[in-house]
Amino acid sequence: MIVKEAIQLFNTEVLDYLERDAEIPTITRAGAQGDVSILRVTKDDAVKPVAKAGIAVIRGENGGNTHSLHGNGPIFWDAAPERDGSLLLGRLTVPAESEAVLAHPEHGFLAIAPGTYEIGRQREYRGEWALVAD
């Protein structure tokens, strides 16, 4: 899939500087998009279906630039309970016949191959541990 196809398929716009004919990379084990990390796991599958419109995984610090998950076919998302200090946002399961796409206006799209993944926040050490700001 290329960027302009994802824009149409998921009705999600990205910033103009992103090349519309660029191929979208696919994660099969681990990856990151801005302040979000994706790691394939061998844990129970997620069970809550994601609606065709997609679901916000995390909203930008200033209210915009949301990271959202969309399915090209059925996908499943179980949000993690909010706990102090936890970086885990939730678990994503992509069945064999589907593909998930993580979208963000500044970063574009990142395809996620079939499997079960934990999606979380990233942090960095700047004299002390802090969440990566996106």
Side-chain angles (χ1 to χ4, degrees):
M1 185 181 313
I2 61 174
V3 171
K4 67 182 171 188
E5 292 169 338
I7 290 169
Q8 292 177 336
L9 183 62
F10 305 119
N11 194 29
T12 301
E13 194 53 56
V14 295
L15 297 180
D16 289 338
Y17 65 81
L18 293 170
E19 176 58 49
R20 297 317 198 240
D21 291 323
E23 189 171 326
I24 296 171
T26 300
I27 291 174
T28 59
R29 293 199 191 315
Q33 185 187 68
D35 56 345
V36 174
S37 65
I38 305 149
L39 180 64
R40 191 166 184 162
V41 295
T42 54
K43 296 187 177 180
D44 292 338
D45 291 349
V47 297
K48 295 179 185 167
V50 173
K52 183 165 174 55
I55 188 167
V57 173
I58 189 166
R59 299 196 185 281
E61 296 290 324
N62 298 318
N65 293 338
T66 297
H67 292 271
S68 57
L69 276 172
H70 304 270
N72 190 4
I75 63 171
F76 302 89
W77 170 257
D78 293 343
E82 290 187 35
R83 293 188 304 253
D84 287 342
S86 176
L87 299 175
L88 183 63
L89 297 169
R91 186 170 301 139
L92 167 70
T93 296
V94 183
E97 72 278 3
S98 298
E99 178 179 57
V101 174
L102 186 63
H104 186 274
E106 291 177 339
H107 307 304
F109 301 95
L110 195 54
I112 304 171
T116 295
Y117 300 82
E118 285 189 341
I119 310 291
R121 297 286 312 261
Q122 293 195 84
R123 63 182 182 160
E124 61 189 352
Y125 190 75
R126 295 181 261 161
E128 63 183 337
W129 287 106
L131 293 175
V132 172
D134 190 18

